[in-house]
């Protein structure tokens, strides 16, 4: 059981939490996010960042699309 890989995209630990929005609303849990990600990586969870800046800031591996990182499908999940 469990995910073979986890991909994170659209987050930032530099810009109040959202790299895709200039919203006036600040996320108050950026530091908690950073701590949780570091703990998850230490425990060997297969978490990858899709943006280089976030990979560096969060201490995650940057996803590289190559045969060693094969993914069968990134199709959206059905919400039915």
């Amino acid at each position: 059981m469990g995910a073979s890989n986890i991909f994170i995209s659209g987050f930032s630990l530099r810009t109040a939490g959202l790299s895709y929005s200039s919203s006036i609303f600040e996320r108050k849990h950026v530091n908690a996010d950073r701590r949780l990600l570091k703990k998850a990586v230490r425990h060997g969870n297969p978490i990858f960042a899709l943006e280089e800046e976030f990979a560096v800031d969060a201490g995650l591996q940057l996803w590289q699309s190559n045969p060693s990182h094969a993914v069968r499908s990134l199709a959206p999940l059905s919400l039915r």
Side-chain angles (χ1 to χ4, degrees), residues 10 17 20:
Y20 59 83

Side-chain angles (χ1 to χ4, degrees), residues 33-80:
D33 292 345
R34 183 180 286 115
R35 287 191 306 270
L36 177 76
L37 286 167
K38 287 183 180 189
K39 184 175 183 176
V41 169
R42 275 196 314 269
H43 282 48
N45 291 286
I47 304 172
F48 296 89
L50 298 181
E51 290 93 12
E52 187 173 4
E53 179 182 288
F54 184 67
V56 170
D57 292 348
L60 299 174
Q61 289 184 30
L62 179 64
W63 177 258
Q64 301 293 324
S65 181
N66 64 44
S68 68
H69 290 137
V71 176
R72 291 196 175 111
S73 172
L74 290 177
L77 297 174
S78 171
L79 297 178
R80 289 188 233 189

Side-chain angles (χ1 to χ4, degrees), residues 1-12:
M1 291 211 102
S4 57
N5 291 307
I6 300 165
F7 303 95
I8 299 178
S9 179
F11 289 90
S12 174

